[in-house]
Amino acid sequence: MSNQGNKAWTFSIKKLGNLDEGTIEVKPLTLLCGPNNTGKTWVMYTLYGFLNNRDIHNLAGVDQIIADLKENGLCQFNLEEWLNENFKSTLKSIEKTIKYKLPSIFSSDSNLFENAVFSWEASLNDIVERNQAEYFEFEFSLGSKQIPAFKALKEKNSQILSMTLIKDLPKEILRDVISSLIYGYLVGKDSQEQTAFLIPAERNGLHLFYRELSSRRTALLHHASRDELDLQLLLKDVLGSKYAKPIADYIDWLNDLTNIKKGAEKTKYHDLAEEVKKLIGGRYNIDAEGNITFVPKKKRGGPNAPKMDLHLSSSTAKSLFGLWFYLEYQAKEHSILMIDEPELNLHPSNQRLVARLIAKMVNQGLRIVISTHSDYFVRELNSLIMLGETNGSEILKNQLLKKYSIDNESLLTKDKIGAYVFECGFLKPMEVNQEGIIATTFDEQINSLNDSSDDIYYSYVLGEGSE
């Protein structure tokens, strides 16, 4: 289900970590910039929690739907009529739920979020208009065999949602399923699958130690199943294993790679996954036990390169594993990929290539949210915007594309990009025009670096300064 070209994901956030106030609209490509410890990760994690939320309670009309389903096995529900009556109360319920979940999203004390405010600036007209033309399908399944128990369907150019109860479900479960369905309709996702996938800045370490981190959870279960529970030891393990939800989810994902791969076909983004392999100079393997290995590219005329454990590979190979696997096996059109510092551990030349790759991902229907400290990354995006926006000579444009080995598929337009800077407690939009993203936060530091370097060179090295 598409969210392209609407304002369904605009948020106002107040009193969250070091962020006093800010409003952000999530576009096909959204950049978060600014100094360390200003709130970029806080905002990313909050957005992640919102997009992956499945819990919303006390929605009007749900009990009547349950009664109809229990009696007839079928029910038709007019979404537009329901929204016209219940939109404001539903938004308040969602916002209340997200604030309630902030402590678990960040795995932190609730006192840290006592004054936090999360507002979803959603428009009823935008949501109705967006969904009117969209096909919407929702399914709830049971057990490891994923036996269908509930289905819902909305045809294009209709607001009638047809629900079918395939297996009898308790009222409590049905209430959660239907509430999750309505939430998905509002947000723009058509299943209970995780909509947003976040690749954290801690990924290199997680790629190497996910087994050990999983063993800690096994240890917790071991303690909990003992006849004589060692409460002190259990409490010590629990307190020592506090991860924010995006980190915990990523660890769980790493430990489930074999199952994900086993049941998945290569996605429409396979070609982009192949570009990741070119960038790292080799390929990844995941064996039946879920161990990740790396095989360097064979040199022309040389022997086959040996398979090596991931910890022996380059930092680039370690850093980009999650991106490769996601593109190869999991990415779906219109889903959201969040990357904390995509430039992590990359040489400037590779940072530029990753910028081009992300631009291709955006142009092929993925929605990307990133935080970055990299001027190289932003300046490469600016080149792609200039080539994508300016109506100059096509001959000259093609010459530049060939000269700098840039694909047409990497070119961007300014309407696809939202850029924000965190400074002095506020989240502020950066201008995006035909010349690209006006990232003064980087320009100021580059100018300061040039000035200090020149001053040291001319006044101290050449001795032109006065004593």
Side-chain angles (χ1 to χ4, degrees):
M1 180 170 223
S2 173
N3 271 299
Q4 306 291 341
N6 68 78
K7 298 182 179 179
W9 295 344
T10 299
F11 311 96
S12 293
I13 301 173
K14 297 179 181 179
K15 304 299 180 184
L16 180 68
N18 289 326
L19 179 65
D20 287 331
E21 186 175 356
T23 298
I24 180 171
E25 178 186 350
V26 180
K27 290 196 171 184
L29 176 57
T30 305
L31 276 73
L32 307 178
C33 304
N36 294 319
N37 200 33
T38 53
K40 298 186 298 298
T41 300
W42 287 77
V43 169
M44 286 190 73
Y45 283 12
T46 301
L47 178 59
Y48 176 88
F50 168 81
L51 293 171
N52 290 331
N53 179 48
R54 300 176 185 177
D55 299 327
I56 179 172
H57 305 289
N58 302 319
L59 294 182
V62 171
D63 287 340
Q64 184 59 50
I65 294 173
I66 292 173
D68 291 345
L69 284 170
K70 287 282 190 181
E71 182 177 351
N72 305 313
L74 299 170
C75 178
Q76 288 196 328
F77 180 60
N78 190 306
L79 289 162
E80 184 173 3
E81 289 181 2
W82 180 84
L83 281 174
N84 284 329
E85 295 179 10
N86 303 290
F87 187 65
K88 289 185 179 179
S89 63
T90 302
L91 281 190
K92 288 182 180 179
S93 178
I94 291 172
E95 292 168 355
K96 184 177 180 180
T97 299
I98 297 303
K99 178 171 180 177
Y100 174 79
K101 284 182 168 290
L102 286 175
S104 62
I105 292 170
F106 290 90
S107 189
S108 299
D109 193 287
S110 59
N111 292 332
L112 286 174
F113 308 97
E114 187 174 352
N115 298 316
V117 177
F118 176 87
S119 301
W120 182 18
E121 308 293 338
S123 162
L124 173 59
N125 289 335
D126 283 343
I127 289 176
V128 170
E129 181 180 347
R130 177 197 71 206
N131 285 290
Q132 175 69 21
E134 292 287 348
Y135 174 84
F136 182 92
E137 186 175 6
F138 182 97
E139 181 176 300
F140 176 76
S141 301
L142 294 172
S144 59
K145 295 183 178 180
Q146 292 294 289
I147 300 172
F150 171 90
K151 285 187 177 181
L153 178 68
K154 185 193 81 67
E155 299 288 352
K156 289 184 177 181
N157 301 315
S158 170
Q159 288 293 346
I160 302 300
L161 188 67
S162 299
M163 304 183 193
T164 304
L165 185 61
I166 302 170
K167 297 280 187 182
D168 190 30
L169 295 172
K171 288 183 179 180
E172 293 75 14
I173 294 178
L174 259 181
R175 185 176 290 109
D176 289 343
V177 169
I178 295 168
S179 297
S180 180
L181 158 65
I182 294 173
Y183 183 79
Y185 172 88
L186 293 174
V187 173
K189 58 181 182 178
D190 53 7
S191 74
Q192 284 201 317
E193 294 179 4
Q194 180 169 279
T195 298
F197 181 76
L198 191 148
I199 301 177
E202 297 86 349
R203 54 188 174 272
N204 278 22
L206 298 179
H207 292 160
L208 298 183
F209 301 113
Y210 64 95
R211 290 292 193 191
E212 288 83 350
L213 296 169
S214 179
S215 296
R216 291 190 66 83
R217 291 197 298 279
T218 301
L220 292 180
L221 294 173
H222 173 69
H223 293 315
S225 62
R226 286 181 178 176
D227 292 335
E228 295 181 4
L229 181 65
D230 190 336
L231 185 60
Q232 184 175 1
L233 187 56
L234 175 61
L235 183 61
K236 181 179 178 181
D237 276 343
V238 171
L239 293 177
S241 304
K242 293 181 68 175
Y243 307 112
K245 179 170 173 53
I247 302 295
D249 287 351
Y250 197 75
I251 295 171
D252 290 339
W253 175 78
L254 287 168
N255 281 283
D256 199 34
L257 292 176
T258 302
N259 291 330
I260 296 171
K261 181 182 176 183
K262 187 185 302 181
E265 297 180 358
K266 292 180 179 178
T267 72
K268 62 173 287 186
Y269 301 101
H270 168 71
D271 289 345
L272 299 184
E274 290 294 299
E275 291 197 24
V276 175
K277 287 166 62 175
K278 291 179 183 178
L279 200 152
I280 63 174
R283 57 186 172 85
Y284 300 104
N285 279 320
I286 301 99
D287 65 19
E289 284 73 42
N291 298 307
I292 306 169
T293 53
F294 177 74
V295 181
K297 183 179 179 181
K298 178 182 176 181
K299 294 182 179 179
R300 182 175 297 179
N304 290 330
K307 183 186 299 185
M308 61 178 67
D309 291 337
L310 191 63
H311 75 272
L312 296 173
S313 68
S314 68
S315 57
T316 299
K318 287 193 280 284
S319 182
L320 294 179
F321 168 77
L323 178 60
W324 168 78
F325 190 95
Y326 176 75
L327 290 172
E328 183 79 342
Y329 295 108
Q330 291 183 280
K332 296 180 181 179
E333 191 171 8
H334 307 313
S335 56
I336 305 97
L337 173 62
M338 312 177 79
I339 311 177
D340 207 349
E341 301 181 24
E343 71 273 10
L344 192 69
N345 299 118
L346 301 184
H347 185 275
S349 62
N350 281 342
Q351 293 183 37
R352 297 176 63 191
L353 292 176
V354 168
R356 297 181 188 184
L357 177 63
I358 285 177
K360 287 183 181 180
M361 292 159 59
V362 170
N363 289 331
Q364 292 188 32
L366 290 175
R367 183 167 287 210
I368 313 293
V369 181
I370 64 173
S371 70
T372 182
H373 297 287
S374 172
D375 177 57
Y376 297 105
F377 186 90
V378 173
R379 290 178 68 181
E380 188 66 23
L381 290 179
N382 287 351
S383 294
L384 302 178
I385 295 169
M386 285 189 285
L387 287 167
E389 279 283 346
T390 305
N391 295 319
S393 165
E394 281 296 315
I395 294 176
L396 179 56
K397 176 180 176 179
N398 290 330
Q399 289 175 347
L400 290 169
L401 293 176
K402 183 177 181 180
K403 180 178 181 179
Y404 296 108
S405 301
I406 299 174
D407 295 334
N408 259 307
E409 293 77 11
S410 295
L411 303 187
L412 294 168
T413 53
K414 64 179 186 293
D415 60 292
K416 290 186 175 181
I417 299 174
Y420 298 85
V421 63
F422 292 71
E423 57 183 18
C424 302
F426 291 92
L427 173 61
K428 303 175 182 178
M430 292 191 287
E431 181 184 355
V432 183
N433 58 33
Q434 290 185 340
E435 297 178 6
I437 303 161
I438 311 304
T440 56
T441 181
F442 297 126
D443 296 338
E444 290 168 358
Q445 292 304 314
I446 291 170
N447 292 336
S448 175
L449 176 63
N450 289 337
D451 289 344
S452 63
S453 180
D454 288 346
D455 189 22
I456 292 168
Y457 178 73
Y458 289 110
S459 65
Y460 183 70
V461 177
L462 295 185
E464 295 180 359
S466 58
E467 293 186 4

